[in-house]
Amino acid sequence: MYTIRSLRTGTGLMATAALIFLLIVGLSGCSDTDDSPMAANTPTPPEMPAAEQLQFDFGFFDEGAQLEKAAGDYDNFVNAYLRSVLLEAVAHLVLIAPVSTFSAALNTAPVAQDDGSWVWTYDLHYGPDPITVILRGLPVGDVVEWEMSLSPVGTDYTVVWFTGTTNGNGQEGHWLFHDLDTEGFPVSGEIIWGRNFLEFVGHDGDAGIERLRFSDNAPDFSIEFTPGDGSATSFIRWNDSGTGSLQVPDYNEGLEACWDVYQQNTVCQ
């Protein structure tokens, strides 16, 4: 059996996210694009989600690097800042493979199929060996059904990496990933997004289903992690005014810890 590595999305990275959220000592501005629905039986290829639609601005925590050097009056905000930096990196790691692979199709002309779908075929390098990517998009009313398959160049071996749907020109979507390193290719994770949120879901037979959710409900924002064991959700929440709080098991004895408009520690109301 051929093994296609370096393209895992789900369990492993969700475990990393859990570790970051739970064991270390913003999110805003989902991009907006045209929301016109896609007509059924369109004579043109379906719209692919743009990479910026899966990016968020953690700029709220920019002052954390300076406040980290200050006295303990800013500990609550600084603790949230440290977690946000690493969670931003996790989001990037989870997204880089599927988004870059999807985006590469922009340089390839799709071919219309008899069933109304469109197929992009192109070669990419992940690791030492080139991989042929077969991306299929089928418009069904306002929704586009996607399937991405991978095949080592020069072989007849093909495996489905992820399937999913998008609508609203990619502003909303749901991708379901398979673990290509495990026999039977079980579901390993999901990426779900909308106009005001981005969510990563990790599937693990032992740990259960874990969720890491970034929400933009301006002026309120949040990062929430729900472990697969059913225990309490951990969170970082903040407001445009500058106030915010976090609650995680390993900080402040697991109690909510708040900061005021100046990011100084304050009593939670």
Side-chain angles (χ1 to χ4, degrees), residues 45-49 98-113 117-124 132-138 144-151 158-166 175:
E47 188 81 14
M48 290 186 287
V99 169
S100 62
T101 306
F102 217 103
S103 299
L106 295 173
N107 300 317
T108 303
V111 178
Q113 308 296 305
S117 67
W118 294 77
V119 173
W120 291 256
T121 303
Y122 46 100
D123 292 343
L124 292 177
T132 297
V133 179
I134 305 99
L135 175 63
R136 177 179 181 270
L138 174 65
V144 181
E145 297 177 353
W146 297 100
E147 179 181 276
M148 181 171 284
S149 300
L150 306 175
S151 175
T158 302
V159 61
V160 174
W161 179 26
F162 69 83
T163 60
T165 60
T166 58
W175 290 342

Side-chain angles (χ1 to χ4, degrees), residues 10-215:
T11 303
L13 289 174
M14 282 301 300
T16 302
L19 185 67
I20 288 169
F21 214 122
L22 300 178
L23 299 181
I24 41 177
V25 175
L27 169 79
S28 65
C30 301
S31 63
D32 290 323
T33 58
D34 179 34
D35 191 25
S36 59
M38 183 179 299
N41 301 318
T42 174
T44 57
E47 188 81 14
M48 290 186 287
E52 56 266 24
Q53 292 172 330
L54 294 173
Q55 294 176 354
F56 291 82
D57 179 9
F58 287 77
F60 177 83
F61 294 100
D62 285 349
E63 293 185 16
Q66 295 300 319
L67 294 179
E68 187 178 4
K69 305 172 184 177
D73 290 344
Y74 300 93
D75 283 352
N76 296 343
F77 175 79
V78 168
N79 194 276
Y81 152 72
L82 292 173
R83 297 173 196 267
S84 72
V85 168
L86 294 178
L87 286 168
E88 183 178 18
V90 167
H92 177 72
L93 284 172
V94 173
L95 289 168
I96 188 170
V99 169
S100 62
T101 306
F102 217 103
S103 299
L106 295 173
N107 300 317
T108 303
V111 178
Q113 308 296 305
D114 292 340
D115 63 357
S117 67
W118 294 77
V119 173
W120 291 256
T121 303
Y122 46 100
D123 292 343
L124 292 177
H125 282 266
Y126 279 104
D129 302 315
I131 295 173
T132 297
V133 179
I134 305 99
L135 175 63
R136 177 179 181 270
L138 174 65
V140 182
D142 294 343
V143 174
V144 181
E145 297 177 353
W146 297 100
E147 179 181 276
M148 181 171 284
S149 300
L150 306 175
S151 175
V153 171
T155 75
D156 295 327
Y157 176 74
T158 302
V159 61
V160 174
W161 179 26
F162 69 83
T163 60
T165 60
T166 58
N167 65 321
N169 284 349
Q171 283 194 340
E172 299 175 356
H174 182 187
W175 290 342
L176 189 68
F177 292 81
H178 297 270
D179 184 349
L180 304 185
D181 290 342
T182 301
E183 185 177 358
F185 311 126
V187 172
S188 62
E190 304 171 56
I191 298 175
I192 309 166
W193 72 92
R195 290 167 175 78
N196 63 350
F197 76 94
L198 172 63
E199 183 170 89
F200 304 120
V201 182
H203 292 247
D204 189 321
D206 297 325
I209 298 177
E210 301 175 331
R211 296 180 182 273
L212 177 63
R213 184 180 179 94
F214 303 83
S215 298

Side-chain angles (χ1 to χ4, degrees), residues 240-258:
D240 276 342
S241 66
T243 62
S245 68
L246 78 158
Q247 185 169 2
V248 292
D250 69 311
Y251 182 74
N252 195 37
E253 298 182 346
L255 301 176
E256 185 175 12
C258 301

